[in-house]
Amino acid sequence: MEESASAVRRWEDLDSWEINSMEESASAVRRWEDLDNDILVKIFQSFDIFELTSGIAHVCSSWRSACCDPLLWKTLDLSMLISNYIKIPLEPYVYVHGHSDKQLTRILKISLSLSRGSIRTLIFHFNLYVSDDQLTYTAERCPQLKRLVMPAWNRIKKTGICKAIRMWRDLESLTMPSIANPPYLMEEIAQNCRNFRELKIMGPFDLLFASTLNMYLPKLKVLSLRCTTLNRDALILILDGLQNLEVLNISHCLLIDVPLAPAPKKIIKKLDRIILQKAARLRKFLTCMEDSCIMCQRTKNDEGIMRWYKYEEGLWKDDEVSSLAL
């Protein structure tokens, strides 16, 4: 009888020990919400924009705090997002499907809410057609923007881009398409963006654009005109007029000479002595006009207006100027 009672006590002691061990073990396991904030931020830095805006900020308060860390929002990269659109014969020459617009608006709202004004660089895909309302909404919520990469402006009106530029007083760098009437934009940049220093134009560069830069952005330091049609007289104009220019990239350009009518335009295959002498003062003059160069061949085949959609995904992000490459 005594042995039986003793056995019962031993089992009770064992049960008590197991229960205590389990409780101690459970207390030693950290919960996800107790994970160090720096570690969470490090994990979230490996997420793309779709994952960051998928709802992880709603898991708990510590996760939301990590999702709002400025380290995650130095750059808002939307280069993976492409509009679902069709081309139309009238302005704005593209029609964007409503679902596509709603997706962009949703991502912008979540991103701009989480970023809390931390965004310094904003990147749009060359086939992401932003509307005036979306651009204004974005500009209001990232007033400290320093770099904008937006190659497609089909749906953006003069009033929309000018309103955004007025809010981006810290803007230093812009990648944009060629536009028919550049003076209004360059004047807006000159009046509002005192630290503006580098420009990339993804499209034909003519005399009007060159004279506009000379007039409104004489302090421009870096200019990239790669993979496009470049008027020889326009090139000479900026070499003479932009005295503060340090870096000029005309790699893979279709350089043309446009004589007086009725003479036809002529493709220039080699830089002449006048251009080389004027460019000698630059810190970097980046050129490539080789027949064997694949990019030069593509520019020629596309008649100076690159059809980026035909080529490798992400090729449009390249630039021989490191500060302009993505």
Side-chain angles (χ1 to χ4, degrees):
M1 190 72 176
E2 290 180 1
E3 291 180 1
S4 177
S6 177
V8 169
R9 283 196 297 272
R10 284 198 299 272
W11 279 110
E12 288 176 347
D13 291 343
L14 181 60
D15 286 344
S16 177
W17 177 84
E18 287 180 341
I19 291 171
N20 290 335
S21 296
M22 289 174 65
E23 288 177 348
E24 290 174 4
S25 177
S27 64
V29 176
R30 297 182 64 185
R31 297 174 299 177
W32 275 102
E33 58 264 35
D34 295 330
L35 197 62
D36 186 80
N37 187 76
D38 291 340
I39 296 176
L40 277 173
V41 172
K42 191 70 176 177
I43 293 171
F44 292 163
Q45 280 182 310
S46 66
F47 288 11
D48 62 32
I49 189 62
F50 300 110
E51 293 166 330
L52 281 175
T53 57
S54 64
I56 59 174
H58 299 300
V59 170
C60 61
S61 59
S62 62
W63 281 38
R64 181 167 184 83
S65 176
C67 283
C68 294
D69 193 287
L71 286 174
L72 298 177
W73 299 105
K74 289 181 179 179
T75 298
L76 178 55
D77 187 354
L78 299 176
S79 62
M80 295 183 295
L81 192 61
I82 302 175
S83 295
N84 181 10
Y85 72 97
I86 58 172
K87 293 183 178 181
I88 56 176
L90 302 175
E91 288 191 16
Y93 305 112
V94 292
Y95 170 78
V96 178
H97 192 278
H99 175 74
S100 183
D101 250 353
K102 288 179 181 178
Q103 182 189 31
L104 174 58
T105 298
R106 185 189 70 82
I107 290 176
L108 284 174
K109 284 185 175 181
I110 297 173
S111 300
L112 297 171
S113 174
L114 294 174
S115 65
R116 298 177 179 176
S118 299
I119 296 170
R120 299 295 185 273
T121 299
L122 179 59
I123 304 170
F124 294 102
H125 192 275
F126 74 90
N127 271 342
L128 183 57
Y129 296 99
V130 182
S131 69
D132 270 342
D133 290 342
Q134 289 166 336
L135 182 64
T136 300
Y137 183 88
T138 302
E140 290 171 345
R141 288 159 180 80
C142 50
Q144 299 184 68
L145 194 73
K146 291 189 175 183
R147 183 184 183 190
L148 175 65
V149 177
M150 191 166 63
W153 287 21
N154 297 57
R155 302 172 68 201
I156 296 174
K157 297 182 177 63
K158 175 181 176 180
T159 52
I161 188 61
C162 287
K163 186 177 180 179
I165 293 297
R166 292 184 198 114
M167 288 185 271
W168 286 328
R169 293 187 172 274
D170 294 330
L171 191 69
E172 298 176 359
S173 174
L174 174 63
T175 296
M176 61 171 288
S178 181
I179 56 177
N181 182 27
Y184 79 84
L185 176 66
M186 299 304 147
E187 183 178 11
E188 204 69 56
I189 291 174
Q191 291 176 352
N192 294 282
C193 310
R194 295 184 178 180
N195 297 321
F196 192 82
R197 61 180 303 276
E198 62 178 22
L199 178 66
K200 178 176 180 176
I201 300 168
M202 297 179 68
F205 189 78
D206 57 16
L207 280 168
L208 175 59
F209 222 132
S211 60
T212 298
L213 293 185
N214 287 354
M215 179 178 294
Y216 294 110
L217 298 178
K219 296 181 179 180
L220 194 68
K221 300 287 187 183
V222 180
L223 177 62
S224 179
L225 306 171
R226 71 187 304 270
C227 297
T228 190
T229 300
L230 175 59
N231 185 304
R232 179 185 179 276
D233 291 337
L235 174 59
I236 290 176
L237 198 60
I238 58 173
L239 287 172
D240 286 339
L242 296 180
Q243 289 300 310
N244 290 284
L245 194 66
E246 297 177 0
V247 179
L248 176 60
N249 185 13
I250 63 167
S251 299
H252 324 300
C253 274
L254 195 64
L255 188 62
I256 61 170
D257 187 17
V258 185
L260 295 175
K265 66 181 181 181
K266 181 175 64 174
I267 296 176
I268 300 172
K269 294 187 176 182
K270 186 177 180 180
L271 297 175
D272 57 54
R273 181 177 55 82
I274 294 175
I275 292 175
L276 293 174
Q277 284 180 345
K278 291 179 181 294
R281 64 174 179 83
L282 299 173
R283 181 166 58 85
K284 284 185 179 180
F285 183 43
L286 302 165
T287 69
C288 180
M289 302 174 68
E290 300 293 332
D291 290 336
S292 58
C293 171
I294 293 176
M295 289 308 300
C296 288
Q297 292 172 15
R298 287 173 172 176
T299 305
K300 184 177 181 181
N301 292 338
D302 288 345
E303 299 179 334
I305 303 176
M306 290 294 289
R307 276 81 170 176
W308 294 107
Y309 62 85
K310 292 168 39 178
Y311 306 115
E312 302 92 324
E313 179 59 39
L315 185 65
W316 66 275
K317 298 179 181 180
D318 291 350
D319 201 290
E320 289 70 21
V321 181
S322 59
S323 61
L324 288 170
L326 297 172

